[in-house]
Amino acid sequence: QDRTALYKMDLHAHPIEIEQADLPDILPFQVGTFLIEIGRLLARLRKQEYRSVERNLSGTVRGSLMMPKHIRHNLAQARPHYAWCRYLEYTEDNALNQILKAALRKCSKLLAQLEHSSAAKYPEFRSQINRGLNALERVSEPHKIDRALFTEARRGLSGFYRKFIPALNLAQLLLQDNYHAHSNRKDNAPQQLQTLPFAINMNTLFELYLRTLIYEAAKEQQPISLVRH
């Protein structure tokens, strides 16, 4: 059954506030929507950009030679065949992909918590997480998830890369507890959690409920009993 026929999350709406107690019920929707969205994107493209990097290169010089570091780390250490350089590199290892990778890691942890607290299993979600992490294997883990990282990730998301905005918004919701942990707030007030508005197709939900009843009854060869609530 296609989950998009069961529920739909409005990826372009403003987030709404939720209570901490409601988060476990909403997490499967957030995780599922994020994995569907990121799966569509990473199957076709990954954002790449030029970044300034510094590396101590062996036997070659690229870009600018950083003389103070070159003297301290190479010449003073009797390593003249090394050169400490700064240069531009076209890479997938940028703020956006780091956030998406962190969100995939978070999805894996959230699924483990959901599976531990209930009998539900999510093999399809696990498979999507593994595919996403494989696609981002060259991307490093972010050192800190904070406002600056999200600001950097949103920079340049125009034109062709606007497709990543909904996935980034979902990633921010999934990582909101990490984000709050690195905020500059000094008080001990509880952080307000958020989610995107979503709707559930009740007709489809009822059909799935009946299908489950029939399947379980067929396995156990018992008569079907519909309980009115």
Side-chain angles (χ1 to χ4, degrees):
Q1 178 71 30
D2 185 1
R3 287 184 174 83
T4 59
L6 176 61
Y7 67 88
K8 183 173 180 60
M9 190 167 276
D10 190 344
L11 302 181
H12 302 284
H14 291 290
I16 57 176
E17 295 183 349
I18 58 174
E19 300 295 332
Q20 179 73 38
D22 296 329
L23 187 59
D25 297 328
I26 297 174
L27 276 177
F29 298 106
Q30 290 184 342
V31 170
T33 304
F34 173 74
L35 292 177
I36 291 171
E37 188 69 18
I38 203 66
R40 292 171 180 165
L41 289 169
L42 296 182
R44 300 193 302 269
L45 77 156
R46 284 175 287 283
K47 188 175 188 292
Q48 294 181 288
E49 62 186 23
Y50 283 102
R51 296 188 67 194
S52 178
V53 298
E54 287 190 16
R55 291 198 178 98
N56 202 16
L57 304 177
S58 175
T60 186
V61 175
R62 292 181 62 182
S64 302
L65 183 64
M66 308 303 293
M67 190 57 68
K69 291 184 178 179
H70 177 59
I71 294 174
R72 182 167 60 254
H73 295 283
N74 297 326
L75 298 183
Q77 305 294 328
R79 296 170 23 169
H81 53 289
Y82 280 87
W84 196 287
C85 302
R86 175 187 292 169
Y87 54 94
L88 292 177
E89 183 177 71
Y90 195 58
T91 177
E92 298 177 0
D93 194 10
N94 50 59
L96 173 65
N97 290 334
Q98 288 176 5
I99 289 174
L100 297 180
K101 187 170 186 176
L104 286 169
R105 299 276 191 208
K106 186 62 177 291
C107 284
S108 182
K109 294 180 180 179
L110 292 174
L111 286 182
Q113 295 173 9
L114 290 170
E115 291 171 344
H116 179 73
S117 60
S118 68
K121 299 297 180 183
Y122 304 91
E124 182 183 343
F125 285 175
R126 290 286 182 191
S127 178
Q128 290 174 317
I129 290 172
N130 291 334
R131 285 197 297 270
L133 291 175
N134 288 337
L136 298 174
E137 61 179 346
R138 298 182 181 179
V139 177
S140 62
E141 306 285 347
H143 298 295
K144 184 169 65 171
I145 300 172
D146 57 5
R147 185 185 301 274
L149 185 67
F150 279 96
T151 300
E152 183 181 350
R154 294 185 186 280
R155 192 178 301 122
L157 288 186
S158 59
F160 188 67
Y161 289 121
R162 285 185 61 84
K163 302 173 183 177
F164 282 94
I165 293 178
L168 181 60
N169 292 339
L170 285 165
Q172 185 166 357
L173 291 175
L174 289 167
L175 296 166
Q176 56 189 311
D177 54 342
N178 304 73
Y179 180 88
H180 291 324
H182 290 104
S183 68
N184 294 322
R185 293 185 50 163
K186 299 184 183 303
D187 57 76
N188 294 321
Q191 297 288 354
Q192 185 65 55
L193 299 177
Q194 295 180 321
T195 187
L196 292 176
F198 64 92
I200 300 175
N201 188 323
M202 298 305 294
N203 291 333
T204 303
L205 181 61
F206 183 66
E207 291 175 7
L208 291 175
Y209 169 68
L210 289 179
R211 183 185 302 180
T212 303
L213 282 179
I214 295 171
Y215 176 74
E216 294 296 334
K219 284 199 310 182
E220 300 176 5
Q221 297 183 348
Q222 295 180 353
I224 300 174
S225 174
L226 298 178
V227 181
R228 291 174 180 250
H229 295 281

